[in-house]
Amino acid sequence: MVWKVIGGLLALWLVISIAGVVIKGLFWLAVLGGVLFVATAAVGWARDRKKIKS
């Protein structure tokens, strides 16, 4: 369940980033999408790592 949510968020942030690049003048949207993509990936990685250790 959690992986579906994380995967959905990653897909959403990727779409937002691409839309920010394609639509001129919305560079801030690309930056925001990129930051959120990296943050979501880090959370998913941390959860997976915690599960492996326990």
Side-chain angles (χ1 to χ4, degrees):
M1 174 67 179
V2 173
W3 286 111
K4 287 182 181 181
V5 172
I6 290 174
L9 285 173
L10 287 173
L12 178 66
W13 304 145
L14 187 62
V15 169
I16 288 174
S17 295
I18 292 171
V21 170
V22 170
I23 302 171
K24 294 180 181 179
L26 292 181
F27 181 72
W28 62 270
L29 191 60
V31 172
L32 178 65
V35 168
L36 291 173
F37 182 88
V38 170
T40 304
V43 168
W45 177 76
R47 284 183 175 263
D48 190 43
R49 188 173 173 160
K50 186 188 290 186
K51 187 182 284 186
I52 291 171
K53 283 189 174 183
S54 58

